[in-house]
Amino acid sequence: MLTKWRANQKIAIILFVFSVGYLIMSFQIPNFSIPRPIDSDLFPKVLGFLMAFLSIVLFFEKDKGEEESLLDDSEDMGEQPEETKEVSYWKKPQTQIVVTLLILIVYVSLFELAGFVLSTLGLLFFLTLYYGYRRHVVNAVVSVVVSFGFYLLMTKGLGVYLPAGWLPL
């Protein structure tokens, strides 16, 4: 029996309850009278089931700190000095949240003007760069492929209008 709930388990329970409520609402979406293979309720249902499944996976996932402490306890039962690392200002969680919000505001501001592809490409590239991914060529290639891939999927595959902006798409 569990004596102490881990943070992952608490979050997983909240997400699971939210996904059940989301699924209940998605099953109330009315079907169109014209039969078609993919109806308007398919995506919300898939999203709800996926969220429920991932919350179950999160519930049973072990924390990194817990695994490391188990390894430390099994290796040496003596006291170990704690190492304190100085975290830079840009790596603090509060700063990262503010920087991410500012980058998202710039993304939304440029969405119509620059278009979906260029603004999404910039968002992906700069956020991955900011969070520490240093392989710039791989980062650029992935950003371009994901941006163009989602643009083509949404416009050609699903018929959703996305602004082309400065690109002649």
Side-chain angles (χ1 to χ4, degrees), residues 107-164:
Y107 172 72
V108 170
S109 301
L110 290 176
F111 193 79
E112 279 290 326
L113 181 66
F116 174 82
V117 174
L118 291 177
S119 58
T120 303
L121 190 146
L123 173 80
L124 294 174
F125 185 81
F126 288 116
L127 277 181
T128 52
L129 182 69
Y130 174 69
Y131 281 105
Y133 193 74
R134 297 290 176 229
R135 296 177 63 189
H136 303 306
V137 174
V138 173
N139 189 8
V141 169
V142 168
S143 298
V144 167
V145 169
V146 168
S147 297
F148 275 106
F150 273 116
Y151 182 81
L152 292 175
L153 174 73
M154 297 298 282
T155 56
K156 306 295 184 207
L158 299 175
V160 175
Y161 168 76
L162 291 173

Side-chain angles (χ1 to χ4, degrees), residues 3-161:
T3 57
K4 184 179 177 186
W5 290 81
R6 297 186 317 264
N8 282 355
Q9 291 175 324
K10 293 175 187 176
I11 293 170
I13 290 171
I14 293 168
L15 286 175
F16 186 78
V17 169
F18 180 77
S19 65
V20 168
Y22 184 84
L23 278 170
I24 290 170
M25 289 188 291
S26 70
F27 275 99
Q28 295 175 0
I29 296 174
N31 292 333
F32 285 105
S33 58
I34 302 170
R36 45 181 144 176
I38 297 177
D39 211 352
S40 60
D41 62 341
L42 178 70
F43 183 70
K45 288 177 183 174
V46 169
L47 189 63
F49 282 116
L50 183 65
M51 190 168 30
F53 171 74
L54 290 175
S55 66
I56 292 169
V57 170
L58 180 64
F59 184 83
F60 292 108
E61 185 175 291
K62 293 198 183 274
D63 292 333
K64 271 187 176 181
E66 182 178 319
E67 291 173 359
E68 290 173 359
S69 68
L70 290 175
L71 288 175
D72 290 343
D73 291 344
S74 65
E75 289 176 1
D76 185 13
M77 297 300 284
E79 294 280 329
Q80 295 181 4
E82 291 186 22
E83 295 179 17
T84 57
K85 292 183 180 178
E86 184 64 33
V87 178
S88 74
Y89 176 76
W90 296 104
K91 298 295 181 185
K92 290 183 179 179
Q94 297 88 349
T95 307
Q96 289 179 337
I97 290 171
V98 170
V99 169
T100 302
L101 285 174
L102 290 174
I103 290 174
L104 285 173
I105 289 170
V106 170
Y107 172 72
V108 170
S109 301
L110 290 176
F111 193 79
E112 279 290 326
L113 181 66
F116 174 82
V117 174
L118 291 177
S119 58
T120 303
L121 190 146
L123 173 80
L124 294 174
F125 185 81
F126 288 116
L127 277 181
T128 52
L129 182 69
Y130 174 69
Y131 281 105
Y133 193 74
R134 297 290 176 229
R135 296 177 63 189
H136 303 306
V137 174
V138 173
N139 189 8
V141 169
V142 168
S143 298
V144 167
V145 169
V146 168
S147 297
F148 275 106
F150 273 116
Y151 182 81
L152 292 175
L153 174 73
M154 297 298 282
T155 56
K156 306 295 184 207
L158 299 175
V160 175
Y161 168 76

